[in-house]
Structures are given as C-alpha cells and as structure tokens.
Amino acid sequence: MKLKISLLGWVAIAIAGGILCGQFLPTAMARIFVTFNSLFGNFLSFVIPLIILGLVAPAIGELGKGAGKMLVVTVLIAYGSTLFSGFLTFFSGSAVFPHIISQNSELAAFENPEHFMLKPFFTVGMPPLMDIMTSLLMAFVVGLGMTVIKGITLQSCLKDFRDIINRLIKSVIIPLLPLHIFGIFLNITVSGQVATIILMFIKVIAFIFILHILLLLIQYSTAGIIARKNPFRMLKNMLPAYMTALGTQSSAATIPVTLNQVLKNGVRENIAVFTVPLCATIHLAGSTMKIVACAMAIMLMAGEAVTLADYSGFIMMLGIVMVAAPGVPGGAIMAALGIIGTMLSFNETLQALMIALYIAMDSFGTACNVTGDGAITVVVDKIFKNKTQ
C-alpha cells in the first residue's frame, strides 16, 4: 500500500529538515536551496496577479448572474461572518499577542533578509504583467461587468483561465511549497533565528485553536437566538462535518456530510441543498481568522506596528478575496498572498513564513469554515421560513 503524505505532513518534514540541515550543511550547498527560493519567489510574484484575476473575476461573475434574493442574503451573511471573524481575531490578537510574542531587535533579519541571510548564486527577474491592485480592480470590473451583460463568451474564457490557474496552483505551486519552506527554514537556521520562529508557531497555533472554538460558539449562539433552537445541540449535530473537514482539509469534499448534518438541525432540504454548497465556496471565516492572526504575529515578531487602520482595509479586502480561494489545501493563503504583500508590505521571507504557519493549522481552519456553514444555513432557513427559493 502506497503511503500518501498530506501537504501538512510535507510542510512539517520541510521545517524539520530545514532546521536539521541548517546545523551542518555547507554554505555552498545551502545556497543552492536559497537560489531555488529566489527563483520560486520571483515566479510567485509573477503569477499572483494572474491568480487574483483568474479566480476573483469568474467568481464574482458567477455569483451575480441570476442572483435571487436567497443568493444575495446568503452572500451578505457569509461576508458578514467573515468580517466578524477577521475583526474578532484582530482585537483578540491585539490583546494577547503583545504578551506572548516578544519583539527582538535581531528579528530585523525578516525585514531585511539580504543583510543577515545567505544570498542566492544568481537571480532571474520575472516582472509581473500588472501590479496587485491593478489585477484586483480589473477582476472587479470584469466580474461585475459579466453580471450585467447577456453574453457568455467572456465568462467561458475566464472559466478556462480559472481552470489553468487552479491546475497551476494544484500541480506546480503547492507541490513546490515544501521545498520553498525547507529553503526558508534552512536559511533562518543559518541566521540563528529558528528558535524564536518555532516558539512563535506554537503560541499562534494554540491561540487560533482556542479562538476558532470561540467563533463557533458565537456563530451557533447567534443562529440559535434567530432560529429559536438550542445552539449546543446544533453544534453537536455538526461534529461529524467538523471531524470530516479535519481529515480532508477541504470544504468541498465535506459537502455531503455537512448537508446531512444540516438536515438533522431541522433545515429544509431545498434550503440546505442551495446554501451548503454555496457557503463551502464563499464562507471562509476560519481561513480569514488564520490569515489575520498569522500576519499579526509575524508583524509583531518582526518589530512592526499592528494598527486597526492597516488591518481594517486588509480584513475587508480579504473577505472578498476568500470568495475566490481554490478548494485545495493551502489554496486560501495562495489567493491572499497578493494583498498580504501589498497591504501589509510582506516581503518574500515573511510570505513564506505566512504560508508555513497557515498550512500548519489548515485542518482547523477548514473545520471552522465547514461547521460555520451550518450556522448560516440555519439562519437562511429561518429568514425564508415562509418562502421558497
């Protein structure tokens, strides 16, 4: 029987391997991996605007065409839930992180890695076709435009382009991420910062685990008040979906289980079969929580100020970008890299740390997304109690 290792497993191996090899690997050998990191990082910079355009534009176009009242209500509730998750994380992190994550002047290595870390043997410039903001604006303009025209040619072309981007993420970027993370941790070990990084990882993972349980309690308490149902009984009924998502790391793969458990919570079937698949695509409150918490922790670790002014726009934009996140492990963080780089000014090293930290708890975020879908479905069922789709 062939052993299949998950993305999380490969990331764990990459982190451990980078730390171990950083203890004894000759500098010349280590610089080979640093060179790969440079090439891969430049390739990511080139492809991220394409990812945004290829994922966001068709997603907006599909949501808007023939948008009925139930669709609009479900999308607004899902977006509101995602925003709530982001701001809950920000305010919780602002209260907790300064006490558990130390700021150290030596951590300037992450802001200016070229001064502290190994350099690649060579670099290859890969300038993107457009900057991040241009790609976002183009995606919004094209996506919204497709909702008001009758033609389907552009929508069809963008669907094909999205398939190419999804294949690129699934078959090229995601498989190469562990090697990229290996090189980052190898370089970090050489620079003497690895102990601080690992300690930060452990603290952030524990923080997010506690916070995502709190988020689910809030979501189901709210749904319970609106629908006049026992929130703890509803949450208990959703446990099979939660556990399935932990194993699959995919909201889409968990849809059959989520649908079955939502029906046990008393949701009408015609509401459930519409809302559950839709929320599996557009409701990523758990993923938003992870991204916001990871970004805050890394900024504090690097000695950067974390302000509400910076994060308000970031969270609101993140809620939109998450709608287009591809349904593969690590897909959400890949979709978010563009605004992480532009709005939070993360360089390649910080982005690689974001990816590693995000994937380290990918299962928890997916489980939170899926379980939260059940709460939204209950609310939609209550709103349209006396109506049909």
Side-chain angles (χ1 to χ4, degrees):
M1 183 177 177
K2 187 177 180 180
L3 179 63
K4 185 177 180 180
I5 302 177
S6 67
L7 178 60
L8 175 58
W10 281 117
V11 169
I13 292 171
I15 293 174
I19 294 172
L20 179 63
C21 293
Q23 308 294 329
F24 63 85
L25 206 64
T27 299
M29 185 69 70
R31 287 183 66 192
I32 294 176
F33 294 99
V34 174
T35 302
F36 167 79
N37 278 9
S38 173
L39 296 174
F40 187 76
N42 287 344
F43 177 70
L44 280 181
S45 298
F46 167 78
V47 83
I48 283 173
L50 301 181
I51 290 176
I52 292 173
L53 181 61
L55 297 180
V56 175
I60 294 175
E62 288 172 350
L63 283 178
K65 285 207 170 183
K69 188 175 181 181
M70 188 181 296
L71 173 59
V72 174
V73 170
T74 305
V75 170
L76 290 176
I77 293 174
Y79 183 65
S81 174
T82 301
L83 289 186
F84 177 81
S85 174
F87 283 104
L88 173 67
T89 306
F90 174 82
F91 289 115
S92 300
S94 297
V96 174
F97 282 163
H99 301 289
I100 64 174
I101 297 178
S102 60
Q103 299 182 23
N104 192 316
S105 59
E106 294 179 1
L107 295 179
F110 301 110
E111 280 299 291
N112 302 288
E114 66 277 3
H115 298 159
F116 296 84
M117 298 184 182
L118 297 177
K119 296 178 175 60
F121 284 116
F122 63 90
T123 61
V124 176
M126 304 180 195
L129 298 177
M130 65 190 85
D131 59 34
I132 301 299
M133 189 54 63
T134 300
S135 64
L136 275 171
L137 290 173
M138 183 176 293
F140 291 154
V141 170
V142 173
L144 291 172
M146 286 189 296
T147 67
V148 297
I149 64 174
K150 295 181 179 180
I152 61 172
T153 303
L154 183 57
Q155 179 75 20
S156 179
C157 291
L158 282 173
K159 284 182 179 179
D160 289 342
F161 185 49
R162 179 176 60 188
D163 290 342
I164 293 172
I165 294 299
N166 281 330
R167 183 65 63 89
L168 177 67
I169 292 173
K170 186 176 181 179
S171 302
V172 179
I173 295 178
I174 296 297
L176 288 178
L177 277 179
L179 185 58
H180 184 50
I181 291 169
F182 170 84
I184 290 293
F185 274 83
L186 174 67
N187 211 346
I188 288 173
T189 301
V190 172
S191 72
Q193 306 297 329
V194 71
T196 304
I197 294 293
I198 296 301
L199 182 60
M200 184 270 291
F201 270 37
I202 294 172
K203 291 176 178 178
V204 174
I205 290 172
F207 169 82
I208 290 180
F209 176 76
I210 294 171
L211 196 61
H212 101 275
I213 297 298
L214 174 62
L215 176 63
L216 289 176
L217 289 173
I218 293 173
Q219 287 175 334
Y220 276 86
S221 295
T222 303
I225 292 171
I226 294 173
R228 296 182 180 179
K229 295 182 179 181
N230 187 323
F232 299 103
R233 183 175 297 135
M234 290 193 295
L235 195 51
K236 181 181 178 182
N237 286 338
M238 292 301 298
L239 283 178
Y242 181 93
M243 298 306 296
T244 302
L246 281 179
T248 63
Q249 295 180 274
S250 170
S251 298
T254 313
I255 285 176
V257 181
T258 308
L259 185 59
N260 185 63
Q261 300 311 120
V262 162
L263 294 175
K264 289 183 178 181
N265 278 335
V267 176
R268 289 167 296 164
E269 187 173 359
N270 68 314
I271 300 293
V273 297
F274 172 80
T275 309
V276 169
L278 178 62
C279 285
T281 303
I282 66 172
H283 180 234
L284 282 83
S287 299
T288 299
M289 173 180 289
K290 289 188 301 177
I291 291 172
V292 173
C294 294
M296 291 178 67
I298 290 174
M299 286 183 71
L300 287 171
M301 182 191 66
E304 292 292 309
V306 174
T307 65
L308 180 60
D310 290 335
Y311 270 80
S312 293
F314 174 69
I315 292 170
M316 286 186 278
M317 186 64 74
L318 186 61
I320 297 173
V321 172
M322 287 296 94
V323 171
V328 297
I333 187 62
M334 296 310 304
L337 280 182
I339 60 173
I340 290 171
T342 54
M343 301 186 76
L344 300 182
S345 302
F346 274 35
N347 58 32
E348 291 177 9
T349 303
L350 297 184
Q351 288 181 23
L353 290 177
M354 274 288 299
I355 294 170
L357 183 52
Y358 179 94
I359 293 175
M361 47 195 163
D362 197 25
S363 294
F364 292 131
T366 303
C368 186
N369 294 337
V370 165
T371 310
D373 294 347
I376 292 178
T377 303
V378 169
V379 173
V380 174
D381 183 64
K382 177 64 176 179
I383 292 173
F384 292 90
K385 184 176 181 179
N386 300 317
K387 302 176 183 179
T388 58
Q389 184 177 343

